[in-house]
Amino acid sequence: MIPPRFDVTPDQIDQVVAVFYGAVRRHEVLGPVFAHHVSDWPAHEARIAAFWRNAILYERSYDGSPMRAHMKAGDVRADHFPIWLALFDETLRRTLPPDAARAWSALAHRIGQGLRMGVEDIRPTQDGPPVLR
């Protein structure tokens, strides 16, 4: 069995996800984007909690592609990710012990950077073809 990336429990993951998406639903920028795509919040939160349990605890309960989901949405922009990460960091600081919050934040920033780059670099712009790096 692979040890977890850092010390956090499945219940803490569920709590972080619930608190975070409560804040997302109220957020003036992120709220409308998510509302456009999420009709079943409990199912969405369960799926995202499974993603994090896989990423942190190495549980094999998540089967999906975050990049594909963000690209398919069509209205997720690169400038949404700093907002998302700031809100997520705030949730982590309010919900978890400091060491776990810092470790999870670092992981979320690495994942967010990859997603942001994918959204930014792969989408065609009005000025021409996609930027390939």
Side-chain angles (χ1 to χ4, degrees):
M1 187 154 129
I2 302 172
R5 288 181 189 267
F6 48 86
D7 189 25
V8 68
T9 67
D11 287 341
Q12 287 173 312
I13 290 172
D14 291 344
Q15 182 183 16
V16 166
V17 169
V19 170
F20 174 69
Y21 281 110
V24 163
R25 286 191 294 275
R26 294 184 303 273
H27 195 273
E28 63 277 1
V29 174
L30 298 180
V33 175
F34 277 86
H36 184 235
H37 300 285
V38 179
S39 59
D40 183 346
W41 281 101
H44 179 74
E45 290 179 17
R47 183 163 175 78
I48 300 307
F51 167 82
W52 285 117
R53 283 193 302 277
N54 182 61
I56 298 167
L57 304 176
Y58 299 103
E59 290 183 4
R60 296 295 172 221
S61 56
Y62 176 80
D63 180 26
S65 170
M67 181 63 76
R68 188 175 309 122
H70 288 87
M71 295 299 296
K72 182 180 173 188
D75 58 351
V76 176
R77 299 187 325 253
D79 62 332
H80 290 149
F81 288 94
I83 299 166
W84 186 99
L85 287 166
L87 194 60
F88 197 69
D89 284 343
E90 179 183 331
T91 300
L92 293 171
R93 282 191 299 274
R94 289 181 26 223
T95 309
L96 296 176
D99 288 345
R102 279 190 297 274
W104 194 344
S105 174
L107 178 59
H109 280 260
R110 284 193 306 273
I111 292 168
Q113 175 74 7
L115 292 172
R116 185 198 58 76
M117 287 174 56
V119 167
E120 182 177 74
D121 292 346
I122 295 173
R123 285 239 169 88
T125 65
Q126 293 178 350
D127 298 332
V131 176
L132 302 174
R133 296 180 194 169

